[in-house]
């Protein structure tokens, strides 16, 4: 329809959390998408194309599994630190600032009939919606993060 906030939990990246000592700018130190996750990301992109869902912009967490999900699904995206994981230390300390930044961004965002796509993590989606997304799940909300529907993509 447009004018929706579309939160997407990154596609399948086996494991949980991040390896100790991981570096945000070094994908070799992180959990990454496996073949199934890459295919799941492409499936997400095809779903948007097939349904002619109008996209204003695609924003992604700086974690490689999110950036890869955005890249394989949509091609173009921009990094947005407010979408970074807050699941484990030391990143959990950033949650209040990140959520404030996210709410402020969405409040000012004008869709003009298009959708805002946010590729992020379980920790961010549950914090703003109370929805509990599975890997690659799409959570569709209004600008107040009221959940309007979800789409599984496994």
């Amino acid at each position: 329809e447009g004018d929706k906030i579309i939160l997407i939990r990154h596609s399948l990246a086996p494991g949980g959390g991040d390896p100790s000592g991981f570096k945000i700018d070094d994908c070799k130190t992180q959990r990454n998408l496996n073949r199934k996750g890459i295919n799941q990301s492409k499936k997400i992109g095809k779903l948007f194309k097939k349904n002619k869902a109008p996209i204003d912009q695609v924003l992604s967490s700086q974690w490689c599994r999110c950036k890869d999900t955005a890249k394989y699904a949509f091609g173009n995206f921009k990094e947005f630190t407010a979408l970074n994981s807050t699941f484990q230390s030391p990143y959990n300390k950033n949650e209040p600032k990140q959520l404030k930044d996210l709410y402020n961004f969405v409040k000012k965002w004008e869709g003009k009939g298009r959708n805002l796509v946010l590729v992020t993590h379980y920790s961010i989606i549950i914090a703003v919606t109370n929805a509990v997304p599975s890997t690659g799940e799409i959570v569709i909300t209004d600008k107040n993060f009221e959940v309007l529907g979800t789409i599984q993509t496994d």
Side-chain angles (χ1 to χ4, degrees):
E1 286 175 15
D3 295 313
K4 303 293 183 282
I5 308 302
I6 300 175
L7 297 128
I8 301 174
R9 182 178 177 192
H10 63 78
S11 294
L12 186 62
D18 284 293
S20 65
F22 95 100
K23 295 179 182 72
I24 201 163
D25 57 352
D26 185 355
C27 294
K28 291 190 292 295
T29 67
Q30 300 180 31
R31 271 194 312 131
N32 291 292
L33 303 184
N34 62 6
R35 175 59 45 204
K36 187 174 177 190
I38 291 169
N39 290 338
Q40 188 178 36
S41 300
K42 291 176 180 177
K43 187 176 174 184
I44 290 168
K46 286 177 185 161
L47 182 70
F48 276 76
K49 279 190 184 96
K50 185 179 115 186
N51 290 288
K52 297 181 175 72
I55 298 171
D56 178 42
Q57 59 183 320
V58 178
L59 301 175
S60 172
S61 155
Q62 294 178 300
W63 267 241
C64 295
R65 56 188 175 268
C66 289
K67 293 191 298 186
D68 286 345
T69 298
K71 177 181 77 178
Y72 287 113
F74 304 104
N76 292 331
F77 68 92
K78 288 187 183 132
E79 294 179 17
F80 185 31
T81 56
L83 300 175
N84 287 352
S85 178
T86 57
F87 179 68
Q88 65 195 63
S89 184
Y91 299 97
N92 55 344
K93 294 184 192 94
N94 300 337
E95 186 173 281
K97 181 188 182 320
Q98 284 180 223
L99 294 180
K100 184 178 174 213
D101 291 349
L102 180 57
Y103 289 127
N104 286 339
F105 182 87
V106 168
K107 197 161 87 175
K108 293 176 188 153
W109 174 75
E110 292 182 25
K112 298 186 175 94
R114 293 173 297 192
N115 299 294
L116 177 62
V117 177
L118 306 173
V119 182
T120 187
H121 305 263
Y122 171 93
S123 58
I124 296 296
I125 295 173
I126 199 167
V128 297
T129 68
N130 287 323
V132 182
S134 57
T135 302
E137 187 169 354
I138 300 167
V139 179
I140 303 158
T141 75
D142 61 17
K143 281 184 70 168
N144 297 314
F145 292 106
E146 292 295 323
V147 176
L148 305 172
T150 63
I151 302 168
Q152 299 273 349
T153 63
D154 36 288

